[in-house]
Amino acid sequence: MRAALLLLLFGGCTKLIAGTSRELPPSLQYDPASFAVQPVPRLPIVPSRLQLGNGVEVFWVAMPEAPLVDVSVMVNCGRTDEPVGQPGLTTLTLRGGFFAGVGDLSPLAQGEGLERLGVTPRVSVDDGFSMVRLSMLRPLFEPAMRQVSDALEKPSFEASAMTTLKTDLASLIDANATRAEVSMRELVRRAMSSSQSGLGQPSSAAALRGLELDAVRAHARKCLQPANLVIALSGDLTERDVRAALQPLAGRVRGAQVVHPPPPPPPGTQRVWLSPSPRGSRVDVAVVARTGPLSAHDRVVGRVLIGALAGLVWDDLRNTQGHVYSVDGDVESGPGFGVVTLRFSTRREVAWLAVNEVTTVLQALWSRWPLSTAVVDALRQELKTNAFHESRHAVVAAAARGRLLHGSTFDPRPVVEQFDEVSATQVAQLFVRAFTPGRLQVIVTGAVDPQQPWAELGTVTAP
Amino acid sequence: MVLSLVLACALSQMPALPKVTVVTLSNGMRWVLLPRPNGLRVSGVVMVDSGAVHERPGEAGVAHFLEHLAFGGTPIVGTRREWRLEAPLLDEVLQLTERHAAAVAEKGARSGEAMALETRLISAEQAWEEQGDFRAFLRLYARSGIQHNATTSYDVTTYFGDVPAEQLHLWLAAEAQRFAAPVFRNFRTERDVVLQESIDRETATTGASNALWQLAFGGNRPWNLTGSPADVRSIRPSTVDAFYSRLSSPSNAVGALVGDFEVGQAVKWLHETFELIPARPTAAEVDLTPAPPGFRGVTGTEPWVLVGFQAPASTEARAPAHELAALMFELQGGPVSGLCVDLASSCSDLELFEGPGLARTHLLGVAFDQRGNGRAAETLERFFASLQRFKPDDAMLERARALAERRRATELQTSAGVARALAVDLMFTNDWKSALTTRYQEVSLEAVMKVFEDFTLERSWVVAQETP
């Protein structure tokens, strides 16, 4: 009887489900952690740096055996440099260089040339700079760079091709107007400044269609001078390869550097920007803070700060609201200003509670910053580990961007070395500089419920 | 002309095939190893022949969900004290999760039974948390500087690791243990995460796209990568467990290592880890016999029209011609763009749809967004007319080849990309060489024209129209 009972009990245990019944074979019953070994000190990726005859700086990293060469051309012109009423001018100018004819080549011939090389230039425009990114098979590096050089030096901006480009870009603006992700980026820009500036003016299909060719030509003359370019390269390259491929660019006269206009005044009051989408249940939130100019070192400090804030917000929301899908952020600098953004995603039902919680926590932190040196040390270590996983092109492009944005204060050392100089005090100081209570801009997109009491968190703007 | 010569010359200068080692373990699992300079890192891939096409009725979304559960730990990693103390508590949680899901399905989330079970579940979870920790496995990786990721496609589930070279033994040991005995500690948390993914996907063209796959290949499979939100809500622990048990055998999986390691050492570690996973029967190959083509209306939430053409598996000799045909149509741009402007709010180019897309049958497809204009039939008529008018030539073929070569090179730019490509080819063709070479240069214009001729024949296409 007793044996039968034991058998019954044992039989009940064998009905364990979903993995709890699985047994590891004895040979696999080791602790994987016991195989951990002392980490080997990493030599960070250090981009090589050279200067062409006309002063254009080139950062590059060798990648033996890589089949492609990745190229990023950084241009010292961004949204801040677009005159009021002409949003999209930089995008149109750069795309026009690659797609609207060059020198004696018609737009069609130029396009076919790029297609034969398998090259598709991608243009992105940021606040204080813009970038053309392209890649090509290693053996096609030289001919591809000749095309890049031509696009920067002698764009012809053929009228009908420019009209087509404007139509395409305007359609894109219209199509993207309803997409939450784009709205978020767009709203961050609008939130950061008054609309009476290049930086804050919204993308507009109508304004883009109205851009005159003369304005594009003038913008190209200003922005595409060699003095405004920094190049980042990664691939199976030597210095000799780099110099040979960039010979056409090296032959151009350096020209003048762009002088950026002063930044527009920062927002004076706390606002909530709502952009509801009818679908799904996820809500994406960005809490955005404007700062004064940020140095190269500030941006490194900022990465530690974002890591710290993300950890605090994650733990806090998990403990209070239960639902948080992700937390991250970034620190960006433009000419004369900086932007610190903390982002998180949560669920529709608890979105207001979560935003309220986060803004309250930020306010509390402003009065009493809690991070000890030990915590900052741990964060620095984590960031250094993460930096180890960055791609080589990401490292070299970041160096080129840093050079463009910070000029002579640019720190050429690898970022993992710069992390060692970040102190807990610097992190606290940057937080206090950025997250001034009463001035935060809270952007909420996705499945927002407009009925929740958003007005309690700031003046509501629903674009 | 000069450019063409440069291109031809460039492509002929592509590097020779590197030295690759293939290892077959005694339990049937195969590994492909390629040492390559990678900054003291190794890119590792474990790929299981287990994806959405392997789901049976009632299992929609399970393959993807299993991938999410795979990082909840093992009987060793994730137990705070001893597994024998944790297992009964976790089992109680999973039994209650099972019963709660059944109660919700039968009587609703607000029913007395469901709410009572929810209360018991929360209490059981609190008791289990004293003994178990579902974040331990990922913490082990983070502490060791290992970055991980995973994806589920129609065909396969792939687990990636970006591993510091000195922690390769640890990664192999942890992955082998996870493969042999994953413990679903994170069931409810991950169901939330997967549910959100499913909701997000619903806003895309997935409704019509799933229907298109069903039309093309029939069968009673769900053809849904994440499952619908309703599917995800109803997934139970036992369903995932059954799916895991059916498909996660070593002989149904391959692995790849690319980066800074010494081959002899890596082989030794594979013998000490993955080879110790007991062999189990291999799941039967899925049947993807094409269904009869045709046109069918599908009720859904998005007003899309999708046209699909059955295309050969990427391992077949005629596959490159199909790929280049699609690229040529894309490069030429005219017909589809024109239709977009005239008759649809937006549309895709003719492209290879993500489908059972690694090596089994593909679909070439184009999607038209007919938002509210009621002109779907006209769109289709003009689309097929544009296909008939389309006349490919040598220059277009050359451009398509350049683009295809570059896209392939992009996939192989990183060690992670090489590892994935090697694993795919090892799994589906048992020939890693095809991962690192292309066959586009062998495709003739005649072969491409034949593809277009086939496209215009009604027997080769299927259409799915989704109307709200």
Side-chain angles (χ1 to χ4, degrees), chain A residues 293-367:
Chain A
L294 293 176
S295 68
H297 184 65
D298 284 336
R299 291 191 66 208
V300 180
V301 174
R303 289 173 69 170
V304 180
L305 171 64
I306 289 297
L309 289 176
L312 287 167
V313 166
W314 175 270
D315 289 343
D316 189 73
L317 287 182
R318 274 274 169 191
N319 292 335
T320 57
Q321 309 306 326
H323 289 294
V324 56
Y325 295 118
S326 62
V327 186
D328 62 13
D330 49 48
V331 179
E332 293 297 331
S333 52
F337 68 96
V339 178
V340 183
T341 308
L342 179 70
R343 286 182 294 266
F344 63 93
S345 300
T346 185
R347 206 177 249 219
R348 176 185 169 93
E349 310 89 74
V350 297
W352 182 88
L353 288 170
V355 173
N356 183 44
E357 179 71 23
V358 170
T359 48
T360 307
V361 165
L362 289 173
Q363 188 150 358
L365 291 176
W366 203 77
S367 323

Side-chain angles (χ1 to χ4, degrees), chain B residues 180-201:
Chain B
V183 176
F184 303 158
R185 291 186 174 89
N186 46 349
F187 196 92
R188 289 226 297 172
T189 319
E190 287 306 317
R191 191 164 59 190
D192 254 11
V193 174
V194 171
L195 182 62
Q196 184 57 46
E197 275 189 51
S198 169
I199 290 167
D200 288 346
R201 274 176 64 85

Side-chain angles (χ1 to χ4, degrees), chain A residues 270 289-290 366 431-440:
Chain A
Q270 183 152 315
R290 235 309 276 269
W366 203 77
F431 176 80
V432 170
R433 272 165 65 195
F435 286 86
T436 311
R439 290 193 178 179
L440 299 180

Side-chain angles (χ1 to χ4, degrees), chain A residues 13 15-25 27-43 45 63-70 112-120 122 134-137 139-140 143 146-147 234-235 279-282 314 318 323 325 346-347 385-386 388-392, chain B residues 3-4 6-7 10-11 13-14 36-41 75-77 83 87 90-91 94-95 98 135 140 142-143 145-147 162 164-167 169-170 173-174 176-177 180-184 189 192 195-196 199-200 203 237 241 244-245 272-273 276-278 301-302 331 398-399 402-403 405-406 409-410 412-413:
Chain A
C13 289
K15 285 181 187 162
L16 294 173
I17 55 168
T20 55
S21 63
R22 267 190 290 280
E23 284 189 9
L24 271 172
S27 50
L28 278 176
Q29 288 182 9
Y30 47 67
D31 181 359
S34 65
F35 297 105
V37 298
Q38 193 63 30
V40 173
R42 303 282 161 203
L43 290 175
I45 299 165
M63 292 176 67
E65 297 182 20
L68 292 178
V69 178
D70 287 308
E112 283 182 353
L114 288 169
E115 274 175 18
R116 285 205 183 90
L117 292 166
V119 169
T120 313
R122 293 188 302 276
L134 56 160
S135 57
M136 68 289 302
L137 289 168
L140 302 177
R146 272 200 296 277
Q147 299 241 4
S234 58
R279 290 186 185 281
S281 64
R282 193 172 90 175
W314 175 270
R318 274 274 169 191
H323 289 294
Y325 295 118
T346 185
R347 206 177 249 219
T385 306
N386 289 346
F388 165 72
H389 294 283
E390 283 179 357
S391 76
R392 287 167 174 78
Chain B
L3 201 57
S4 304
V6 168
L7 181 66
L11 295 174
Q13 287 169 10
M14 292 304 283
R36 183 183 198 245
N38 192 30
L40 294 180
R41 289 150 63 168
I76 308 277
V77 185
W83 175 235
L90 179 60
D91 192 61
L94 293 170
Q95 296 273 13
E98 189 96 6
R135 295 190 185 90
L140 170 67
R143 222 173 33 232
I146 296 170
Q147 223 167 49
D162 185 5
E166 72 275 14
Q167 308 297 3
H169 196 182
L170 182 152
Q177 202 173 77
V183 176
F184 303 158
T189 319
D192 254 11
L195 182 62
Q196 184 57 46
I199 290 167
D200 288 346
T203 62
D241 198 46
Y244 163 82
S245 301
E272 291 169 3
T273 55
L276 303 179
I277 301 170
T301 55
E302 293 286 334
L331 284 170
E398 190 192 322
R399 283 155 59 196
L403 188 57
E405 294 280 1
R406 202 195 69 94
T410 305
L412 302 179
Q413 177 73 348

Side-chain angles (χ1 to χ4, degrees), chain A residues 27 30 55 59 103 139 152 163 191 194 206 260 263 363 394 451 462:
Chain A
S27 50
Y30 47 67
F59 292 78
L152 297 171
T163 304
S194 67
H260 301 290
Q363 188 150 358
Q451 303 305 316

